[in-house]
Amino acid sequence: MKYCMYFMILFATHLGQSQLLYAEMGQSISNFEYQNSAGGTLDNLQSATNSFLGFGYTFQLPNDKLNIDVGLSYTNYGAKGSDEVLDNFFEWDVSYAGLQTGVTYYFARSKEFKFFGTLNASLEYLLRGTQTLNNQVFNLSGEDEFDNFLVVPRAGVGIQYPISNKAALYVQYQYGKSYSLVNSNPNDDEKLSITTHNIGIGITIQLPGCNCSFKNF
């Protein structure tokens, strides 16, 4: 037990000396996938392009290849479509704030460029949202489907390039699909989920006292 506590203290101390700050912004191409209890879908849904923001901390582990990321996000999702049979037009426009955590793994390097993969998940809450049906606009706040927490796992790849000894720029792509917004029950298999393609550019900055390097691998 004594050695275990000693190791944990050393590990926590190293994390405290290996902190970085990151900030990212970009475009989120999103769509809604809907399936009713009878298995029917909305086939004419079109994706929408919106913006997203993210910032937080990165903890660099001792081998410099694996990082742990914890941060906050703000993402806009949307979709629109029509039904030729019913002659309807519909559109969703929603904004979520989220708490995000995950890992980044650097798997290759070419000169100053470092290539990485990411796995993360975010727990998101609706800040605002509207649904347009023909000429009517409905507020989605308080609606059962959107008033629940949204869980979105994501996976992606990216490239990082150092711009100084203390900072690096990166570009990354991530794909994600949320769990269903609808709490299904045995008598109702209705499902509604959001798919996203995020393309972003960000910057990582070493915090004072960080015992880390962008040039190590």
Side-chain angles (χ1 to χ4, degrees):
M1 179 64 70
K2 179 176 69 175
Y3 292 106
C4 181
M5 291 295 296
Y6 179 69
F7 174 79
M8 292 176 64
I9 292 172
L10 286 179
F11 184 70
T13 302
H14 180 85
L15 286 182
Q17 296 175 345
S18 303
Q19 294 184 21
L20 304 99
L21 184 69
Y22 74 86
E24 181 181 1
M25 64 181 300
Q27 297 293 304
S28 176
I29 304 171
S30 60
N31 205 344
F32 283 58
E33 293 186 0
Y34 175 77
Q35 177 179 303
N36 61 29
S37 56
T41 60
L42 294 175
D43 297 327
N44 196 32
L45 280 177
Q46 305 297 318
S47 60
T49 301
N50 293 286
S51 60
F52 75 90
L53 299 171
F55 62 92
Y57 287 98
T58 291
F59 302 92
Q60 192 177 66
L61 298 186
N63 61 8
D64 295 325
K65 288 188 177 182
L66 186 65
N67 292 348
I68 299 175
D69 308 309
V70 179
L72 301 175
S73 64
Y74 176 82
T75 309
N76 297 295
Y77 303 109
K80 56 186 176 181
S82 61
D83 189 322
E84 294 182 357
V85 177
L86 299 177
D87 194 26
N88 283 339
F89 169 81
F90 36 85
E91 182 177 15
W92 288 278
D93 180 20
V94 295
S95 300
Y96 281 83
L99 174 64
Q100 182 171 284
T101 183
V103 295
T104 299
Y105 180 73
Y106 293 88
F107 59 85
R109 179 172 182 171
S110 177
K111 296 183 179 179
E112 296 296 320
F113 293 94
K114 296 170 70 173
F115 301 86
F116 61 87
T118 62
L119 285 174
N120 61 59
S122 58
L123 180 65
E124 305 180 6
Y125 184 76
L126 180 70
L127 295 180
R128 52 154 296 277
T130 58
Q131 179 182 5
T132 301
L133 179 60
N134 294 330
N135 294 322
Q136 293 183 304
V137 179
F138 302 93
N139 185 5
L140 295 177
S141 298
E143 295 295 326
D144 291 340
E145 293 86 351
F146 293 89
D147 201 34
N148 299 316
F149 282 99
L150 181 68
V151 179
V152 188
R154 292 184 175 90
V157 293
I159 305 173
Q160 178 182 286
Y161 182 80
I163 56 176
S164 72
N165 292 330
K166 300 294 184 180
L169 292 177
Y170 66 88
V171 177
Q172 72 170 337
Y173 161 80
Q174 289 187 321
Y175 169 79
K177 182 176 181 178
S178 75
Y179 288 94
S180 177
L181 281 75
V182 179
N183 292 325
S184 60
N185 56 66
N187 299 321
D188 187 359
D189 291 330
E190 184 181 24
K191 296 179 181 179
L192 177 64
S193 59
I194 302 175
T195 60
T196 67
H197 301 269
N198 287 359
I199 303 173
I201 182 170
I203 185 169
T204 302
I205 302 173
Q206 294 183 13
L207 293 177
C210 179
N211 183 24
C212 48
S213 174
F214 291 113
K215 297 186 178 181
N216 289 342
F217 191 77

